Amino acid sequence: MNHLSNQLADKTAIVTGGARGLGAAFAHHIVDRGGSVVIADVLDDEGERTAAALGEHARYVHLDVTDPAHWTAAVKYTIAEFGALTGLVNNAGIATGQFTEHEPLEHFRAVLDVNLVGVFNGIQSVIGPMRAAGGGSIVNISSAAGMLGLALTAGYGASKWGVRGLSKIVAVELGPDRIRVNSVHPGMTYTPMTAQVGIHVGEGNCPNTPMGRVGVPEEIAGAVGYLLSDDATYVTGAEIAVDGGWTAGPTLKYVMGQ
Ligand SMILES: NC(=O)c1ccc[n+]([C@@H]2O[C@H](COP(=O)([O-])OP(=O)(O)OC[C@H]3O[C@@H](n4cnc5c(N)ncnc54)[C@H](O)[C@@H]3O)[C@@H](O)[C@H]2O)c1
């Protein structure tokens, strides 16, 4: 592997939902910068393929983030394979969307279970090993939908607001242990999740966003890599929007009525 830099040379991270989409881009970013990664997902074939393409510094493990027993096994596996666990990227997520009035309770619960309870499970499972190692970095993937009221996302948006708040709570609790906890808030990004709802890359495809376009996963990965690295040793409890300006405010087109 031809390393772009050694920013993550001594780091080992679990990336949930790393089989495809944003998680796969995070896994690539970590290995490209000299780190090691354990991709944890429920899509076993895709996860195995993504890890194999990354070479000796990547592994795949089956993990349903809603199951605490899977977490115990994944953390144990990571330490057995790479000797330590310094990072966790809680990225796995699912989305449903319709008017709140019509959102079935089971959909609402299912989204919270993966997107919020899954993050809680991950945090709980890594605290002991990270504390024992003298510190670590937890990066929780929230969303722009966790910073504003995005219609048709009752369960999804609530889960992402929850992840944003949980990140700050745990950052405060774990500061003394040198375990940093931050949230990253992607805007509309082209992945299998958004392709399913007809979102595509290209200028003008995101008119509600100042930059006027959908992002690609590689554009989100830099923020995650930074937070995992020793460049961010004083950064905890922070939220980083990587969203083309979506949450900064209404577009000029809206303000000027054009
Ligand atoms: N794509 C976007 O525009 C966007 C914007 C903001 C936030 N996000 C967030 O980024 C994260 C990744 O999204 P994506 O767009 O890459 O989606 P994706 O659907 O392409 O990938 C999500 C991954 O999570 C995995 N996953 C789902 N449920 C799981 C479970 N119970 N246990 C383990 N893995 C599970 C899936 O198998 C898949 O590999 C999600 O949390 C999503 O909410 C995405």
Side-chain angles (χ1 to χ4, degrees), residues 16-23 40-43 63-66 90-95 114-115 141-145 156 160 185-194 196:
T16 69
R20 69 181 197 189
L22 281 166
D41 208 302
V42 288
L43 293 178
L63 169 106
D64 179 340
V65 294
T66 66
N90 277 312
N91 163 79
I94 57 174
V114 174
N115 294 9
I141 306 303
S142 174
S143 171
Y156 184 79
K160 295 303 186 179
H185 300 255
M188 208 60 87
T189 313
Y190 182 64
T191 67
M193 179 189 274
T194 47
Q196 276 165 12

Side-chain angles (χ1 to χ4, degrees), residues 2-250:
N2 182 20
H3 294 157
L4 295 175
S5 78
N6 285 325
Q7 184 195 32
L8 297 170
D10 54 348
K11 306 299 183 200
T12 297
I14 294 175
V15 178
T16 69
R20 69 181 197 189
L22 281 166
F26 302 156
H28 276 267
H29 186 94
I30 291 165
V31 172
D32 281 349
R33 280 152 187 79
S36 300
V37 71
V38 173
I39 292 169
D41 208 302
V42 288
L43 293 178
D44 295 337
D45 290 347
E46 222 164 329
E48 294 280 10
R49 272 200 304 275
T50 304
L54 287 173
E56 59 179 331
H57 292 288
R59 300 283 187 281
Y60 173 76
V61 66
H62 178 86
L63 169 106
D64 179 340
V65 294
T66 66
D67 188 334
H70 287 195
W71 274 105
T72 304
V75 168
K76 201 171 158 193
Y77 174 73
T78 303
I79 293 169
E81 290 295 302
F82 292 117
L85 174 60
T86 63
L88 168 63
V89 185
N90 277 312
N91 163 79
I94 57 174
T96 63
Q98 53 193 303
F99 276 103
T100 305
E101 185 181 2
H102 306 301
E103 175 105 341
L105 176 59
E106 60 268 30
H107 285 192
F108 188 82
R109 280 210 171 114
V111 172
L112 284 174
D113 204 25
V114 174
N115 294 9
L116 182 56
V117 178
V119 171
F120 169 81
N121 286 338
I123 290 169
Q124 277 204 329
S125 71
V126 301
I127 291 174
M130 285 186 179
R131 187 181 279 137
S137 171
I138 300 172
V139 183
N140 295 325
I141 306 303
S142 174
S143 171
M147 304 179 110
L148 43 70
L150 186 62
L152 310 181
T153 71
Y156 184 79
S159 73
K160 295 303 186 179
W161 277 86
V163 167
R164 181 186 180 192
L166 180 61
S167 302
K168 293 190 195 304
I169 292 162
V170 184
V172 172
E173 292 177 356
L174 298 181
D177 293 306
R178 299 179 13 147
I179 300 172
R180 299 180 294 101
V181 188
N182 297 283
S183 57
V184 170
H185 300 255
M188 208 60 87
T189 313
Y190 182 64
T191 67
M193 179 189 274
T194 47
Q196 276 165 12
V197 292
I199 288 163
H200 294 290
V201 176
E203 292 297 327
N205 275 350
C206 215
N208 203 26
T209 295
M211 293 193 77
R213 66 173 178 85
V214 170
V216 294
E218 293 70 26
E219 293 181 293
I220 317 296
V224 173
Y226 164 70
L227 290 170
L228 291 174
S229 80
D230 289 341
D231 290 337
T233 47
Y234 201 50
V235 182
T236 196
E239 50 194 47
I240 303 184
V242 190
D243 65 355
W246 184 10
T247 55

